[in-house]
Amino acid sequence: MRILGIETSCDECSAAVVDNGRTILSNIIATQIEAHRPFYGVVPEIASRMHTEWIIPVVKEAIEQAGIEENTIDAVAVTSRPGLIGSLLVGMCFGKAFAFSKGIPFIGIDHIEAHLYAPHLEQDISYPYIGLLVSGGHSLITYVRDFDDYDVLGTTIDDACGEAFDKVAKFYDIGYPGGVAIDRLSKEGDDRAFNFPKPSLHKGDHQYDVSYSGLKTAAVNQLDLFWNGEAEKSRANIAASFQRAAIDIIANKAIKAARDKGVKKIVAGGGVSANSYLRRKMADQKDIQAIFPSLKLCTDNGAMIAGLSYHHLKKGRQSELNLNASARVPLFKKNYP
Ligand code: KG4
Ligand code: ZN
């Protein structure tokens, strides 16, 4: 089955052609980073407008690079949730029109589930495992039994992990996108220079939940309170110390979840899963096998959408053409009283 996958949930305009949920024939990712850089964050109106300009050439390029005829595409899969609503709608409208005009199935895909599927495009991974999803908008620890069967064990109660990276980078003018810039600068820094807090307040049902607003505020506003007097006060040291705290918060919970559940495997996905400290830390856990996607498949891309959709389509599932996009998925975010 040959699937055209489209992903426009945020600031990447991406289209891919994937055969049988595994063979990537093309995966075009047109990033809008330069357009958003002056604002140190994604501006929704700019993002959706650029998607409308880019979607046709990006899909054309994906088909061309795959070296296939348009009429050999069997189905169209598009991110339908969660994400920026205006951006999602561009991919959805295009995908529906394409599928309708060709008379082939259309299916809306959850982009968080697709992030967790990304490493499956590159290797055989057996279930169950602990899924660790860390992106700009979400932070989730899941117990995964199959591609469509998982429990959310923990999530953030406030900011997402990637969001904290982006805010701290913005405050210290470290670069954009924040996660990439902090990761790079951290290599020159001492990650023990600042003792930033790693909140872990939740017990029982909430024991795998995480919180980032305290760490973000500490890194931004209360630098002097967490200062290690022996170290130099530099942006590289702030970056490295913040990165260690931000990653430890969620990685330690994922490791605990794996041990608690008797699972020996953690599969990561999402933009922050590109982080070098996270990868090193996971590699150090000798009792746990950690699986990461390649760097290109960590951030938003059409291949993971096409890849995951194959398994749904194979089970006979598809979406109606009146499917709407959703900005949020309630299961992925907790509202604490
Ligand atoms: O998955 P993604 O492309 O988009 C969302 O679905 O949100 O993730 C983007 C996030 C941004 O917050 C970005 O700063 C972060 O991933 N990121 C990183 C790294 N590369 C990207 N964070 C930490 N370390 C990295 N190397
Ligand atoms: Zn994403």
Side-chain angles (χ1 to χ4, degrees), residues 111 115 135-137 162 165-166 178-180 183 270-272 274-275 299-300:
H111 130 244
H115 270 305
S135 74
F165 272 89
D166 295 336
V180 183
D183 196 351
V272 185
N275 186 266
T299 41
D300 295 339

Side-chain angles (χ1 to χ4, degrees), residues 7 9-10 82 111-112 115 133 135-138 270-271 298-301 304:
E7 150 64 44
S9 67
C10 192
H111 130 244
I112 297 304
H115 270 305
L133 183 281
S135 74
H138 293 84
C298 287
T299 41
D300 295 339
N301 66 87
M304 66 184 191

Side-chain angles (χ1 to χ4, degrees), residues 3-321:
I3 301 170
L4 171 66
I6 295 172
E7 150 64 44
T8 62
S9 67
C10 192
D11 61 338
E12 322 288 355
C13 188
S14 180
V17 179
V18 178
D19 278 355
N20 299 324
R22 184 73 188 256
T23 311
I24 302 175
L25 302 184
S26 64
N27 188 20
I28 306 299
I29 305 170
T31 180
Q32 302 177 355
I33 285 174
E34 290 313 317
H36 301 287
R37 191 187 297 281
F39 308 98
Y40 274 96
V42 178
V43 182
E45 188 55 35
I46 294 176
S48 52
R49 207 174 300 171
M50 289 185 83
H51 284 309
T52 59
E53 288 170 15
W54 287 8
I55 187 73
I56 292 174
V58 164
V59 170
K60 274 192 176 153
E61 200 177 326
I63 291 171
E64 202 176 293
Q65 210 180 88
I68 60 151
E69 295 296 327
E70 215 170 89
N71 58 13
T72 61
I73 294 170
D74 297 308
V76 182
V78 184
T79 303
S80 60
R81 61 180 201 169
L84 301 172
I85 198 74
S87 294
L88 287 167
L89 284 171
V90 177
M92 288 274 281
C93 289
F94 179 90
K96 286 177 185 180
F98 189 99
F100 180 70
S101 69
K102 305 278 175 208
I104 55 178
F106 161 81
I107 184 165
I109 291 292
D110 184 311
H111 130 244
I112 297 304
E113 294 176 5
H115 270 305
L116 282 176
Y117 181 80
H120 291 261
L121 285 160
E122 299 175 312
Q123 53 184 300
D124 291 323
I125 304 168
S126 61
Y127 296 98
Y129 55 72
I130 295 297
L132 171 61
L133 183 281
V134 269
S135 74
H138 293 84
S139 311
L140 292 176
I141 295 170
T142 54
Y143 180 84
V144 187
R145 288 178 214 89
D146 208 338
F147 75 94
D148 58 351
D149 182 12
Y150 61 90
D151 297 329
V152 175
L153 301 177
T155 178
T156 180
I157 63 164
D158 39 54
D159 299 336
C161 183
E163 195 178 347
F165 272 89
D166 295 336
K167 295 269 168 61
V168 170
K170 177 178 180 178
F171 187 83
Y172 289 104
D173 197 18
I174 288 173
Y176 178 81
V180 183
I182 286 181
D183 196 351
R184 197 179 307 127
L185 186 61
S186 293
K187 295 189 169 58
E188 299 162 25
D190 170 6
D191 66 6
R192 310 267 161 183
F194 292 88
N195 301 312
F196 290 133
K198 298 179 202 169
S200 182
L201 304 171
H202 312 294
K203 305 280 180 232
D205 281 354
H206 304 307
Q207 63 176 318
Y208 304 115
D209 287 340
V210 295
S211 162
Y212 279 100
S213 73
L215 168 63
K216 186 186 71 185
T217 309
V220 166
N221 294 334
Q222 303 181 57
L223 207 53
D224 290 334
L225 288 181
F226 303 101
W227 176 240
N228 161 8
E230 290 164 25
E232 188 199 349
K233 213 177 197 173
S234 70
R235 286 193 318 163
N237 284 348
I238 290 165
S241 304
F242 163 78
Q243 173 173 272
R244 182 169 65 88
I247 297 295
D248 282 353
I249 285 174
I250 192 148
N252 289 343
K253 296 229 170 181
I255 292 164
K256 181 174 186 313
R259 293 191 179 131
D260 290 351
K261 303 282 175 194
V263 174
K264 300 230 163 300
K265 205 183 305 169
I266 296 178
V267 177
V272 185
S273 69
N275 186 266
S276 60
Y277 172 73
L278 172 63
R279 288 173 178 240
R280 278 200 309 280
K281 183 181 172 88
M282 285 301 185
D284 286 344
Q285 313 304 313
K286 297 303 171 208
D287 59 329
I288 290 169
Q289 180 195 11
I291 299 175
F292 287 87
S294 60
L295 292 184
K296 189 175 177 185
L297 294 182
C298 287
T299 41
D300 295 339
N301 66 87
M304 66 184 191
I305 305 300
L308 174 60
S309 74
Y310 165 75
H311 298 276
H312 286 294
L313 289 159
K314 220 172 58 172
K315 283 198 166 180
R317 299 175 189 148
Q318 65 181 75
S319 306
E320 300 294 334
L321 290 181

